[in-house]
Amino acid sequence: MSVLPLVFTSGWASGINAYAVVLLFGVFGATGLTDEVPESLQRTDVLVAAGVLFLCEAVADKIPYVDSIWDSVHTVIRPIAGAVVGALLAGQNGSLPELAAGAVGGSTALLSHFVKAGTRMAVNTTPEPFSNVALSLAEDLGVAAIVTFALFHPVAAASIAGVLLIGGLVILVFLAQRIRRFLRRRSLRREERQLADAEARARARPPSGDGSEHF
């Protein structure tokens, strides 16, 4: 069970930024700073792919509404990444079955993903874009700090991740009403666009007739 705190922390971090977790673990392992990282995460192709995707997320995550679309796409990706990283860490350590580690990492990643996505929906209800940038930077720095801390102090890092996860879920409950309003407005905007497109097509359609002339 000694690897369980690291699996839990990596799952929490994967729900926020899975590519940063893979990139950090891979770099730390490749540079020899830790022996806890499996070889598969240290491969050059994995590091390159994680780095490119991390840069894409770093940009998308700071643009209002684009961040929510990005989060929707990653509702499946982040839990899977958390499960895979957890299973690999358990396989490397040998103290926790890979299946159980995958379940812990995946479920924790799913919960933290919901917190992140829900918080972003609430932030997108504000008219200014600066809160998105500030929140995204805080998430990136938080993930980097806790993942780094977890490699050397896994139990303490897991405790911090647990507190952040519970606190995020509590905040998400309070933000639920704002999120519902956001979703309702987005649905109305989609309906308005569809109606406008239908009216534009109707105006562009030539008038129908039988071609006869009346005198």
Side-chain angles (χ1 to χ4, degrees):
M1 301 294 292
S2 62
V3 76
L4 184 59
L6 184 58
V7 170
F8 178 84
T9 305
S10 67
W12 171 85
S14 295
I16 298 174
N17 194 327
Y19 306 124
V21 173
V22 174
L23 184 61
L24 285 169
F25 274 145
V27 169
F28 289 148
T31 55
L33 292 177
T34 178
D35 297 328
E36 297 292 334
V37 180
E39 293 290 335
S40 54
L41 294 179
Q42 303 178 36
R43 289 169 40 184
T44 302
D45 56 340
V46 173
L47 291 175
V48 171
V52 171
L53 291 170
F54 170 74
L55 291 177
C56 292
E57 176 149 339
V59 175
D61 216 30
K62 295 173 178 59
I63 304 175
Y65 298 105
V66 174
D67 57 352
S68 291
I69 297 173
W70 184 269
D71 286 336
S72 298
V73 173
H74 285 75
T75 301
V76 175
I77 296 175
R78 287 169 182 159
I80 291 177
V84 171
V85 171
L88 290 174
L89 291 172
Q92 173 80 1
N93 184 274
S95 61
L96 188 68
E98 288 90 338
L99 184 61
V104 171
S107 58
T108 307
L110 182 62
L111 289 174
S112 64
H113 164 76
F114 283 148
V115 172
K116 173 188 171 73
T119 304
R120 286 311 182 86
M121 286 183 183
V123 169
N124 281 332
T125 62
T126 60
E128 44 78 27
F130 303 107
S131 53
N132 294 74
V133 176
L135 186 58
S136 177
L137 289 173
E139 289 170 352
D140 294 341
L141 294 174
V143 166
I146 292 183
V147 168
T148 303
F149 187 57
L151 287 171
F152 304 100
H153 305 281
V155 176
S159 300
I160 296 173
V163 170
L164 291 174
L165 180 59
I166 294 173
L169 291 171
V170 172
I171 292 173
L172 189 60
V173 172
F174 286 104
L175 293 176
Q177 185 176 0
R178 176 176 288 187
I179 293 170
R180 283 194 296 268
R181 288 199 300 266
F182 167 76
L183 293 175
R184 190 159 50 245
R185 284 201 300 268
R186 189 169 65 175
S187 178
L188 289 173
R189 281 196 297 268
R190 187 183 300 113
E191 293 175 0
E192 290 172 355
R193 284 197 300 269
Q194 292 173 351
L195 182 60
D197 291 341
E199 291 176 349
R201 287 194 297 268
R203 287 194 297 268
R205 188 182 301 121
S208 60
D210 56 5
S212 63
E213 295 182 358
H214 300 278
F215 298 94

